[in-house]
Amino acid sequence: MFRRHNGPVRAPVTVRRADPARAQVEDDPAHSRFDLWVDDELVGILGYRCLGVGGVGGVDGAPEDGCRVALMHTVIKEEHGGRGWAAVLVHEVLEEARVRRWRVHPVCTYVQRYLGTHTEYLTLVDDAP
């Protein structure tokens, strides 16, 4: 263990874990992403791309019900990282995908890892290339 000579002793940093009750996830189709808001602050995003319905790709705008949707990337602001906000965001997006009857194509490595530990969402995964 390191010991400082003549320096101040730092108190341990307490990291506040993500509280889903403080979060709101909103679809922002103009930017092809879901926004994670926590206490009126934009904390993270999950980008998506509509792959079309029934294998037809290149569709612009908001994904429709029954659409194939690629989940492209999950980003959490650095100062909010390591607290579980990405899991809150991905969970809410997958729940919305279930409601909208989307088939998801997880491009984002975080979404892929999340699906590996939350197998209840594997039925949403699109097997088509």
Side-chain angles (χ1 to χ4, degrees):
M1 176 177 221
F2 253 73
R3 185 172 171 198
R4 290 182 183 241
H5 300 286
N6 302 331
V9 177
R10 293 185 185 182
V13 177
T14 303
V15 177
R16 188 171 178 189
R17 298 296 302 160
D19 177 4
R22 296 174 47 217
Q24 180 163 346
V25 175
E26 297 176 359
D27 189 0
D28 181 358
H31 294 101
S32 299
R33 71 185 195 197
F34 285 94
D35 296 336
L36 171 65
W37 295 88
V38 178
D39 299 333
D40 297 322
E41 178 184 356
L42 181 61
V43 168
I45 63 169
L46 196 162
Y48 61 77
R49 186 172 144 241
C50 184
L51 300 175
V53 178
V56 178
V59 176
D60 293 327
E64 299 173 2
D65 285 359
C67 190
R68 294 176 56 230
V69 177
L71 300 178
M72 303 301 292
H73 56 272
T74 304
V75 179
I76 301 297
K77 285 184 177 179
E78 186 175 347
E79 62 268 25
H80 296 281
R83 300 179 188 180
W85 288 118
V88 171
L89 176 57
V90 170
H91 168 80
E92 291 300 321
V93 168
L94 291 173
E95 285 295 319
E96 185 65 15
R98 190 178 270 166
V99 169
R100 295 185 190 186
R101 300 183 334 270
W102 287 352
R103 302 293 298 157
V104 298
H105 178 69
V107 174
C108 172
T109 56
Y110 183 86
V111 174
Q112 292 170 7
R113 287 192 311 269
Y114 186 91
L115 288 167
T117 58
H118 296 83
T119 57
E120 66 272 23
Y121 294 109
L122 290 178
T123 58
L124 301 174
V125 175
D126 183 31
D127 295 329

